[in-house]
Amino acid sequence: MMRTLLLLCVTLCCLSVTVAGDSSTSLPEENGVLLLKKDNFNRALKQNKQLLVHFFAPLSGDSQRLALAFRGAAEQLIGSEVKLGVVDISKETNLTKELNATTPPPLRLYLSGDRHNPVPCPVFQSSASIVTWLKRRAGPSADIITDLNQSDRFVASEELVVLGLFKDVERGRVEVFYAAAVDLPDLPFSVTRNQDIFRKYDITQDSVLLVRQSTPVQVLKVTSQMTKEDLISFITVHQLELVTEYNGQTASRILSSPVLNHAILFVNKTDERFQTVYSDFQAAAASYRGKVLFVMVDVDEPRNGRMLEYFRVRESEAPMVRLVNLTSHVTYHLPSDTLDTPTIIAFCKTYLDGNAQPKMQSEALPADWDQKPVIQLVGENLERLAFNPDKTAFIMFYLPYSEESRSLFPLWEELALHFLDREEVVIARIDASANDFNLSMRERYPALRLFPALHAERVVAYSGQRNLKDLVQFLEKEMERAKKDRAQEEEDRRKYIETQKAIEAKEAKEAKEEKQEL
């Protein structure tokens, strides 16, 4: 009996050691960041109450920049309750799909092992942004100012700060302010109920002030109906200057602005006309705050070459104004050489009213455009070929200066050779930087679009793996789908013709009977 008990105790001890060993098994990491895969992701969730995960896309420049900030944040968070991990979405495709992480945001915070309800993260500018966001989530999200001297130091501490003036800084309307502070980690937030500060800024009710270089530039009165999203929109719209110069520091703020209509002034800052043109542009901007974001691009700055190339602007053409919508990517050109305030205001109004005509540009059609396996399209023949009801067109929209685009060319040649004997299939490409088109491209270039052989103008975006096998399978599947839909189109057309004939016959009969009665 004693021997049995001893054996049982030994067995239990061994089991407990095994279990303990499993739970404490270290995960692979690099520079303080966990390297997460399908086989260790759940273990990472169990071992960390807060797991901030970066879904990293190796071919994305934005993702690579975020990776640097992510590693910097990992160093600052050593010893905290938050652990950082990275998933390479190009390798861990199954895990990425399981977590529904194929679309933005690229950063997600997992809490208490819950893999199904991650906290979405805002757009981060730096490692400091990430750390600030995590700290503000833990609270408090804004410092409390108790006197006028402290307030003066705060508004002078940064170029732009957000100051909340609330009669109650613990509950009620101030809760919206605290929530907005969490999601805007790049801006300093403080709150006060001190009446001396209320009087200094001539404030009598709960308000939010944007203070630039110690001077209030915007005031928003807070109501009980205001949401966090309302306040965030107000701050992000007004945190930029009336005219924001495009550069490495402002690019991300410009692109993340909730204002999707951008008026862009291309101008040479060394030109003797610069100050006049800029002043008129700035005056026009005041009329459209919140509706159109006004941006200036210095064509004399070498680092802005990519912007000039994308909008197809030559340095010699400056100054000029272009207006673009970031959803449709359709560009509009100010149809005048006069760049005074009334002309710019009228141009913006015409655009917002939906009466502006887009600037459609096309390269010249090459003589041998259809003589190679991959057809080279231009703006003037894109829609004619893409929406041909008798052809299935698979088109790559690329940027010639993009390494990611050029790396796809050999694969596109393979695909074209695979379908070379199929006359009903067209494999083509078009330079998106040199040709305009009325298609919405929400992802980075190169973008792949399939145009099925239908009378209806259907466009199918390809988001799968970029290899020959998956591309062929996708194309064959969509062609089968289109074949069925085409049959339905023909059937609907036949029924429509029969119905029209029946209506005409009925009308003719009624007309004949009416004539006989007369």
Side-chain angles (χ1 to χ4, degrees):
M1 185 66 172
M2 181 62 70
R3 184 180 179 185
T4 302
L5 287 173
L6 286 171
L7 287 172
L8 181 58
C9 289
V10 170
T11 302
L12 289 173
C13 287
C14 289
L15 285 173
S16 64
V17 169
T18 302
V19 172
D22 287 342
S23 63
S24 62
T25 301
S26 60
L27 295 163
E29 62 179 79
E30 184 177 296
N31 298 321
V33 178
L34 297 177
L35 304 178
L36 301 175
K37 300 181 179 181
K38 182 177 174 61
D39 60 1
N40 66 14
F41 190 82
N42 284 341
R43 188 148 40 99
L45 286 179
K46 292 177 182 178
Q47 292 181 9
N48 299 280
K49 290 184 178 180
Q50 296 187 59
L51 182 64
L52 183 63
V53 180
H54 178 201
F55 292 90
F56 174 67
L59 295 179
S60 166
D62 290 337
S63 192
Q64 290 174 359
R65 284 189 290 272
L66 181 57
L68 292 175
F70 199 67
R71 286 196 291 270
E75 294 176 3
Q76 298 178 56
L77 292 166
I78 292 175
S80 73
E81 290 187 352
V82 184
K83 189 66 179 178
L84 277 62
V86 62
V87 173
D88 186 336
I89 65 172
S90 67
K91 297 178 180 177
E92 298 298 321
T93 54
N94 291 333
L95 176 62
T96 304
K97 289 179 181 178
E98 285 179 15
L99 298 172
N100 194 26
T102 56
T103 57
L107 287 189
R108 299 182 186 187
L109 178 63
Y110 293 86
L111 303 175
S112 303
D114 184 358
R115 63 181 282 160
H116 301 294
N117 300 289
V119 178
C121 303
V123 176
F124 294 118
Q125 310 296 334
S126 63
S127 57
S129 302
I130 298 173
V131 174
T132 299
W133 181 73
L134 291 167
K135 288 181 177 179
R136 287 183 180 179
R137 275 186 50 82
S141 62
D143 295 329
I144 295 180
I145 291 175
T146 58
D147 59 52
L148 196 54
N149 289 334
Q150 191 180 0
S151 171
D152 290 343
R153 289 195 298 272
F154 170 67
V155 298
S157 64
E158 298 283 349
E159 179 186 359
L160 181 70
V161 302
V162 185
L163 178 61
L165 288 84
F166 290 86
K167 295 174 182 177
D168 187 341
V169 296
E170 295 181 358
R171 61 184 64 83
R173 295 175 181 176
V174 75
E175 294 174 1
V176 172
F177 182 80
Y178 290 140
V182 172
D183 286 350
L184 295 173
D186 290 299
L187 288 172
F189 278 72
S190 284
V191 65
T192 186
R193 62 183 177 190
N194 183 282
Q195 289 303 305
D196 290 337
I197 301 173
F198 271 72
R199 283 188 288 271
K200 175 178 180 176
Y201 294 111
D202 195 23
I203 299 296
T204 58
Q205 67 182 77
D206 293 347
S207 302
V208 174
L209 276 66
L210 291 187
V211 185
R212 191 184 302 276
Q213 297 178 340
S214 299
T215 302
V217 290
Q218 293 293 333
V219 179
L220 177 66
K221 295 178 180 178
V222 179
T223 65
S224 57
Q225 290 77 35
M226 182 174 294
T227 65
K228 177 187 75 171
E229 288 71 26
D230 294 333
L231 182 53
I232 288 176
S233 179
F234 166 78
I235 294 171
T236 52
V237 165
H238 291 93
Q239 76 175 111
L240 294 172
E241 300 274 8
L242 269 177
V243 176
T244 303
E245 181 173 359
Y246 179 88
N247 54 45
Q249 288 71 46
T250 62
S252 59
R253 292 203 297 268
I254 291 171
L255 293 175
S256 61
S257 170
V259 181
L260 299 178
N261 301 310
H262 292 189
I264 306 174
L265 170 65
F266 293 91
V267 65
N268 190 329
K269 290 176 70 176
T270 63
D271 192 299
E272 60 182 11
R273 298 170 295 169
F274 167 71
Q275 197 55 54
T276 300
V277 172
Y278 179 82
S279 296
D280 282 327
F281 190 67
Q282 187 177 47
S287 302
Y288 290 101
R289 178 72 107 170
K291 296 179 181 178
V292 180
L293 184 65
F294 280 62
V295 179
M296 183 195 75
V297 176
D298 182 6
V299 300
D300 194 42
E301 169 55 63
R303 288 171 292 187
N304 290 337
R306 187 66 59 83
M307 282 286 283
L308 300 185
E309 190 169 357
Y310 180 83
F311 285 99
R312 296 181 286 283
V313 173
R314 301 184 190 92
E315 185 177 341
S316 59
E317 294 177 309
M320 66 156 51
V321 174
R322 292 280 177 85
L323 209 155
V324 62
N325 179 276
L326 295 194
T327 300
S328 66
H329 296 280
V330 176
T331 302
Y332 299 79
H333 176 67
L334 177 62
S336 173
D337 292 331
T338 303
L339 298 181
D340 57 21
T341 300
T343 302
I344 297 171
I345 287 177
F347 173 53
C348 291
K349 184 179 186 304
T350 301
Y351 167 77
L352 293 174
D353 290 344
N355 297 322
Q357 294 299 314
K359 175 180 173 55
M360 302 302 289
Q361 181 168 315
S362 174
E363 292 181 293
L365 188 65
D368 61 346
W369 68 277
D370 60 349
Q371 300 303 305
K372 298 176 182 178
V374 176
I375 291 177
Q376 184 68 43
L377 299 177
V378 296
E380 69 178 48
N381 71 346
L382 170 64
E383 292 194 9
R384 185 168 66 252
L385 185 141
F387 295 115
N388 183 337
D390 299 318
K391 300 282 187 181
T392 295
F394 203 4
I395 303 174
M396 177 206 305
F397 295 80
Y398 70 93
L399 299 177
Y401 50 79
S402 162
E403 183 178 341
E404 188 176 346
S405 289
R406 292 195 301 272
S407 67
L408 203 59
F409 282 10
L411 175 59
W412 216 240
E413 294 285 346
E414 282 188 71
L415 185 65
L417 291 172
H418 183 88
F419 287 98
L420 194 59
D421 296 331
R422 303 276 292 273
E423 293 185 2
E424 75 278 16
V425 178
V426 174
I427 306 300
R429 68 188 184 197
I430 183 170
D431 181 351
S433 71
N435 299 278
D436 289 324
F437 39 82
N438 288 318
L439 292 171
S440 176
M441 298 291 173
R442 295 180 180 273
E443 75 271 39
R444 290 168 55 87
Y445 292 109
L448 309 182
R449 294 289 187 272
L450 180 74
F451 300 80
L454 293 168
H455 290 289
E457 294 185 353
R458 179 192 296 168
V459 183
V460 185
Y462 179 78
S463 59
Q465 294 296 305
R466 294 181 174 182
N467 58 61
L468 183 62
K469 179 182 177 182
D470 286 350
L471 288 169
V472 170
Q473 288 180 348
F474 167 77
L475 209 155
E476 296 282 11
K477 179 181 177 181
E478 288 298 327
M479 288 175 67
E480 281 299 313
R481 177 188 170 199
K483 186 177 180 181
K484 296 177 183 177
D485 292 342
R486 181 66 179 266
Q488 185 62 50
E489 280 185 338
E490 297 296 341
E491 178 64 16
D492 292 342
R493 186 177 181 182
R494 183 187 64 77
K495 289 180 179 179
Y496 174 78
I497 293 174
E498 290 180 355
T499 301
Q500 289 301 114
K501 286 182 177 179
I503 292 173
E504 291 173 2
K506 182 180 179 181
E507 290 176 348
K509 181 180 179 182
E510 290 175 348
K512 182 179 180 181
E513 291 175 349
E514 185 177 345
K515 185 176 180 180
Q516 289 176 346
E517 289 178 358
L518 293 174

